[in-house]
Amino acid sequence: MNDAVKNVSFDINQGEIIGIIGHTGSGKSTLVQHLNGLLKPTEGTVLFENEDIWKNAKEIRKIRSKIGLVFQYPEYQLFEETVFADIAFGPKNMGLSGEELENCVTETASLIGIKEEYLQKSPFDLSGGEKRRVAIAGVMAMRPKVIVFDEPTAGLDPRGREEVMKIISDYRTATNATVIIISHSMEDMAALADRIIVMNKGELVLFDTPEKVFASAEALREIGLDVPIVTRVFAGLRAMGVAVSPNVFTVSQAVEALVQLKEGAADA
Amino acid sequence: MLKDITFGQYYESNSLLHRTDPRAKIVLMILLIVFIFLAKNLFALLFATACVGCIALISRVPFRLYIKNMKAILPVLIFTAVINLFYGDGGRILLEVWKLRITTGGIYNSVFMALRIVLLIFMSSVLTYTTTPNDLTDAIESLLSPLKFVGLKGAVHTLAMMMTIALRFIPTLIEEAEKIMNAQKARGADLESGGLVDRVKALIPILIPLLISSVRRAYELAEAMECRCYNGGEGKTRMKQMHLSNTDFLVSAAAIIMCAGIIILNILL
């Protein structure tokens, strides 16, 4: 039998932001579906707060509210008549009701920047980016301690992407939740992630800080991935003989490095 | 779970029946089914059974696939057999409870009916296993084409196109349904427990997104078809033309012999 995912073993600390990268079909989505018990591992265990999530199979729905999972294109799962009702679906399944439920929804909405008047609108009247935000709010409303995103910015314009990334970091600041993001954007990963998991053909090949992961550009290219564009530009500069650091992964780091270089040149 | 639903269950092979013109196959299948129902006595039906067995062998489709189809209708089969058990008249009385009585005639009836249904399923399975869904719809379009002479000019093509599209999108929709189910489960939806009412209610969060996405897909498909200048069946030519060949005449002859055999056995015995 073919294993979709194998040899995957890692620990994630509370409050960390973890990025998962890998080529299409490398098992990223399968991996994250194990984290909240949508899939049951045929071998091995998934531990959450030192307990096997499958220890009590009947309680798996409780695990799903503690470990939230936002699927790709989550806006396609909207179904309620109003934005409010759709965000309330998750918390309602957890057993919240009445005032508690209402507070939960309005808090989440304000955290994510959904205006009050939007709550009574139909989710199907919203724009693509707004729908995505409402759908993400639907998972965040359960207040998961770990929240997993499968390509949260796929199919959005640059502004939409920025908004979604902001929501994710806002949620983390507000709740100190652990965040796991699958992404194809090396730039986003470099800017956000504390550590990065690199998957290839269903196996975990690297699990390290962005600096160390992006330092092995050759190995990444071999498995169909790449380093951030700025890192490539700086590698080109180094090849031309410009003395810049190889550890430049984000635009702000690049600006800093260039300013330093210019000042250094002026001093000399 | 959802993937177990078989539809368009074509089995790749290169048997005589795979090569037969789909139009011929449809007509012959209907013909044979009618004659199976015309079989009056056990001998005629047993003859038909032998013929259907031969057809299944010629199709080179593994026998377990036929059995799999049989399992799907097992409840219907059992139901029919049991009902017929009490409707037989004549023969010795074997068992009598209250107003119900089981006679040898009843058992004969019940076996007869069950065998008929089994043969029916076998015949339609042969057709779907040896013909791709696209060939099937093309054949239906071709067979219904005389309807355009009675004022249903566009309707035949439209109907065939609708069937083709429906068949094409079944796997897509199954995949979509699975994704949506997972997404709602991740939001704590409970699809597995509760009574009947709870379970039906739990389907709403799945059915509504599925419906919306099929409408969206329909719009996208319509636009894509218009972009390629689709304007219905008028003036449409085919890459694969269907022609009747010697194999088709051979298969037809065999089928007619089978029908004749049933009639002869009906009269003689």
Side-chain angles (χ1 to χ4, degrees):
Chain A
M1 207 175 84
N2 266 331
D3 295 321
V5 173
K6 60 185 170 184
N7 293 337
V8 177
S9 187
F10 56 87
D11 287 293
I12 294 173
N13 303 320
Q14 159 81 39
E16 259 187 314
I17 299 187
I18 301 292
I20 302 180
I21 58 176
H23 202 249
T24 313
S26 60
K28 301 169 298 214
S29 297
T30 314
L31 172 65
V32 295
Q33 286 187 37
H34 281 92
L35 298 181
N36 74 340
L38 278 177
L39 293 174
K40 194 174 180 178
T42 45
E43 258 175 70
T45 49
V46 181
L47 298 177
F48 174 64
E49 293 177 341
N50 289 324
E51 268 195 26
D52 186 351
I53 60 166
W54 283 101
K55 200 176 99 189
N56 191 348
K58 281 187 182 147
E59 301 285 286
I60 195 70
R61 283 176 56 224
K62 277 192 184 151
I63 291 292
R64 290 189 189 139
S65 62
K66 284 178 194 156
I67 306 172
L69 174 55
V70 180
F71 274 85
Q72 252 180 66
Y73 297 100
E75 58 272 29
Y76 293 155
Q77 78 208 27
L78 298 172
F79 69 99
E80 280 284 8
E81 280 168 54
T82 64
V83 170
F84 181 92
D86 213 285
I87 298 177
F89 181 67
K92 217 157 71 185
N93 284 330
M94 285 166 64
L96 293 192
S97 61
E99 209 173 315
E100 215 180 350
L101 182 68
E102 206 159 305
N103 287 341
C104 172
V105 174
T106 43
E107 264 171 42
T108 312
S110 72
L111 180 70
I112 282 175
I114 299 170
K115 289 184 208 118
E116 283 244 35
E117 68 253 33
Y118 269 58
L119 288 177
Q120 293 314 318
K121 272 196 185 182
S122 161
F124 302 108
D125 291 339
L126 306 180
S127 75
E130 287 166 339
K131 274 188 203 162
R132 173 94 37 118
R133 273 195 282 168
V134 171
I136 292 176
V139 175
M140 286 179 172
M142 299 191 293
R143 291 284 178 277
K145 290 180 182 168
V146 178
I147 186 160
V148 187
F149 295 90
D150 192 347
E151 297 205 36
T153 57
L156 291 181
D157 56 9
R159 207 178 129 204
R161 299 168 74 110
E162 236 169 70
E163 280 172 2
V164 166
M165 288 326 256
K166 190 176 169 299
I167 289 172
I168 295 174
S169 65
D170 283 352
Y171 180 78
R172 200 178 83 100
T173 345
T175 62
N176 193 29
T178 310
V179 176
I180 301 172
I181 306 176
I182 293 180
S183 177
H184 273 131
S185 160
M186 301 301 145
E187 285 71 26
D188 287 351
M189 292 287 93
L192 258 162
D194 295 319
R195 286 192 292 167
I196 295 178
I197 291 173
V198 184
M199 297 283 293
N200 184 38
K201 291 184 183 151
E203 294 189 56
L204 184 147
V205 285
L206 261 178
F207 182 31
D208 221 321
T209 55
E211 287 78 21
K212 294 213 175 114
V213 167
F214 290 133
S216 38
E218 248 345 280
L220 284 181
R221 249 171 240 139
E222 246 165 59
I223 57 174
L225 298 171
D226 213 331
V227 295
I229 296 174
V230 272
T231 314
R232 259 183 282 163
V233 170
F234 271 63
L237 284 175
R238 277 168 62 81
M240 284 163 62
V242 185
V244 285
S245 149
N247 292 327
V248 174
F249 307 112
T250 62
V251 174
S252 53
Q253 282 174 350
V255 170
E256 215 173 285
L258 289 178
V259 168
Q260 262 178 21
L261 190 71
K262 201 176 164 198
E263 278 170 358
D267 286 347
Chain B
M1 163 180 57
L2 282 170
K3 277 180 190 135
D4 296 339
I5 301 170
T6 49
F7 207 97
Q9 40 187 358
Y10 179 64
Y11 178 83
E12 184 87 49
S13 178
N14 191 27
S15 74
L16 180 72
L17 289 174
H18 281 77
R19 278 177 279 131
T20 310
D21 189 303
R23 290 171 298 177
K25 271 189 276 187
I26 292 179
V27 173
L28 293 177
M29 185 200 71
I30 294 171
L31 191 73
L32 289 183
I33 286 176
V34 169
F35 272 82
I36 286 169
F37 272 83
L38 285 179
K40 275 193 205 128
N41 58 43
L42 195 60
F43 294 102
L45 197 67
L46 285 179
F47 172 71
T49 312
C51 292
V52 171
C54 286
I55 294 171
L57 278 180
I58 293 170
S59 74
R60 287 204 209 150
V61 175
F63 215 70
R64 58 177 169 82
L65 289 180
Y66 289 112
I67 301 300
K68 203 178 101 199
N69 269 5
M70 223 46 81
K71 272 187 199 152
I73 59 128
L74 200 61
V76 181
L77 203 60
I78 292 173
F79 181 75
T80 321
V82 169
I83 291 289
N84 274 292
L85 211 50
F86 302 110
Y87 273 87
D89 36 0
R92 278 188 303 119
I93 294 171
L94 295 175
L95 191 71
E96 195 164 4
V97 183
W98 186 49
K99 279 179 187 168
L100 300 170
R101 65 163 68 123
I102 295 175
T103 63
T104 43
I107 290 176
Y108 175 82
N109 246 359
S110 139
V111 170
F112 199 87
M113 283 301 189
L115 192 56
R116 253 186 195 171
I117 294 178
V118 168
L119 292 184
L120 189 93
I121 300 299
F122 249 86
M123 283 312 297
S124 49
S125 303
V126 168
L127 181 70
T128 49
Y129 278 135
T130 61
T131 322
T132 61
N134 276 342
D135 275 353
L136 266 185
T137 45
D138 280 355
I140 290 170
E141 182 175 358
S142 170
L143 286 173
L144 292 181
S145 58
L147 283 181
K148 65 181 164 217
F149 297 117
V150 291
L152 291 169
K153 201 151 180 264
V156 176
H157 174 79
T158 312
L159 191 73
M161 183 52 93
M162 274 164 57
M163 282 174 65
T164 313
I165 292 173
L167 288 174
R168 159 64 186 79
F169 275 92
I170 286 172
T172 315
L173 284 178
I174 289 176
E175 202 178 296
E176 184 105 8
E178 267 174 1
K179 266 190 207 160
I180 294 169
M181 274 167 87
N182 273 338
Q184 305 298 26
K185 271 198 218 161
R187 293 212 274 165
D190 186 5
L191 306 176
E192 273 123 22
S193 55
L196 187 66
V197 180
D198 286 334
R199 281 191 191 215
V200 171
K201 266 190 192 160
L203 283 180
I204 295 172
I206 292 156
L207 290 182
I208 291 178
L210 199 59
L211 191 72
I212 289 166
S213 91
S214 5
V215 171
R216 180 172 46 84
R217 271 180 208 287
Y219 273 117
E220 282 169 7
L221 183 69
E223 252 164 51
M225 283 167 80
E226 263 176 30
C227 287
R228 294 173 200 187
C229 303
Y230 176 78
N231 62 349
E234 215 161 314
K236 186 187 170 194
T237 54
R238 295 184 178 280
M239 192 164 89
K240 251 178 25 194
Q241 296 270 2
M242 287 187 280
H243 292 295
L244 288 176
S245 66
N246 286 340
T247 13
D248 302 321
F249 292 116
L250 184 74
V251 172
S252 308
I256 288 166
I257 290 172
M258 179 179 162
C259 297
I262 291 173
I263 295 297
I264 290 169
L265 286 170
N266 263 350
I267 297 169
L268 288 185
L269 297 160

